Amino acid sequence: MTTATSLQTSATPLGRDDLARLVAKDIAPGSFVNLGIGQPTLVSNYLTEEQNITLHTENGMLGMGPAAEGEQIDGDLINAGKIPVTELPGASYFHHADSFAIMRGGHLDICVLGAFQVSATGDLANWHTGAPGAIPAVGGAMDLATGAKDVFVMMTLLTREGASKIVETCTYPLTGVGCVTRVYTDKAVLLTGPDGVQVRETFGCTLEELQELVSIPLKAV
């Protein structure tokens, strides 16, 4: 059941760049952060110099900057999603094994990942739908999901068929168990964990309208 509080709301759903800007704003100053492929890569474009965020990419770099454009593009300087990126002063490069040691060793404060499903208790499914012929794409997601101190997810709330990606129990193969702490979607920011799903703010809908789209109980923060 939904509960009435002073929940933050805005008039319209968020687009991809709006969502990336919101995630960037929520990252604490001084954090070490990994951005997964897809929507999460956009977050780098909205981090400010004052935040002093150090971005890690699993193909072996610390100090990644925003996406490269025009003459900035260097075919040898890419992120894990093969998108050309820039480097910030002090950037460093290292072996793939060292990069995964950073991920697995608990040295990342936050990772931002996409997802197919997130459960009410924070289980993550983002590497395989289990559909016949689907190509698994686990990459470093399992290492990030278990190694980062906080896991943020960026995704649309609904599938193309209109089903909620926030579910009671994931039906797709899991990437990590109980690892997701926060979910950013086009319609709401949701907090997940042992106490179920809490709604921090909504976009283009009320809490009651959001509840109609999600089959599990929601409560406002």
Side-chain angles (χ1 to χ4, degrees), residues 95-136:
H95 193 279
H96 210 158
D98 295 323
S99 182
F100 271 71
I102 291 172
M103 294 155 60
R104 296 168 178 169
H107 304 291
L108 295 175
D109 297 301
I110 297 170
C111 70
V112 186
L113 300 171
F116 297 132
Q117 292 178 329
V118 176
S119 79
T121 55
D123 296 344
L124 171 67
N126 80 340
W127 70 278
H128 194 17
T129 63
I135 300 174

Side-chain angles (χ1 to χ4, degrees), residues 19-20 23-24 27 35 39-47 112 154:
L19 203 59
V23 175
I27 294 175
L35 303 177
Q39 283 195 59
T41 61
L42 297 174
V43 173
S44 66
N45 298 333
Y46 299 102
L47 295 170
V112 186
M154 288 178 68

Side-chain angles (χ1 to χ4, degrees), residues 82-204:
K82 299 182 175 61
I83 296 173
V85 295
T86 55
E87 59 181 1
L88 299 180
S92 60
Y93 304 90
F94 33 83
H95 193 279
H96 210 158
D98 295 323
S99 182
F100 271 71
I102 291 172
M103 294 155 60
R104 296 168 178 169
H107 304 291
L108 295 175
D109 297 301
I110 297 170
C111 70
V112 186
L113 300 171
F116 297 132
Q117 292 178 329
V118 176
S119 79
T121 55
D123 296 344
L124 171 67
N126 80 340
W127 70 278
H128 194 17
T129 63
I135 300 174
V138 65
M142 290 182 179
D143 305 88
L144 289 166
T146 57
K149 296 170 186 174
D150 266 315
V151 178
F152 294 174
V153 162
M154 288 178 68
M155 65 181 189
T156 57
L157 179 67
L158 306 177
T159 67
R160 293 178 182 177
E161 295 73 30
S164 173
K165 296 181 184 178
I166 299 290
V167 295
E168 182 68 35
T169 303
C170 293
T171 57
Y172 295 151
L174 292 183
T175 305
V177 176
C179 57
V180 178
T181 53
R182 194 176 302 177
V183 183
Y184 294 83
T185 79
D186 52 331
K187 295 184 181 298
V189 176
L190 309 162
L191 311 181
T192 58
D195 297 327
V197 180
Q198 298 177 297
V199 184
R200 192 183 80 178
E201 53 192 306
T202 61
F203 314 111

Side-chain angles (χ1 to χ4, degrees), residues 15-98:
R16 289 164 59 93
D17 285 285
D18 296 323
L19 203 59
R21 188 180 290 107
L22 179 60
V23 175
K25 183 180 177 181
D26 281 352
I27 294 175
S31 295
F32 285 78
V33 180
N34 180 286
L35 303 177
I37 62 174
Q39 283 195 59
T41 61
L42 297 174
V43 173
S44 66
N45 298 333
Y46 299 102
L47 295 170
T48 65
E49 185 176 350
E50 291 72 25
Q51 285 178 283
N52 190 31
I53 304 300
T54 301
L55 291 181
H56 166 274
T57 178
E58 66 193 62
N59 52 323
M61 180 183 180
L62 274 175
M64 181 178 72
E69 298 180 352
E71 295 182 354
Q72 295 178 321
I73 295 176
D74 178 344
D76 292 325
L77 185 56
I78 59 175
N79 63 20
K82 299 182 175 61
I83 296 173
V85 295
T86 55
E87 59 181 1
L88 299 180
S92 60
Y93 304 90
F94 33 83
H95 193 279
H96 210 158
D98 295 323

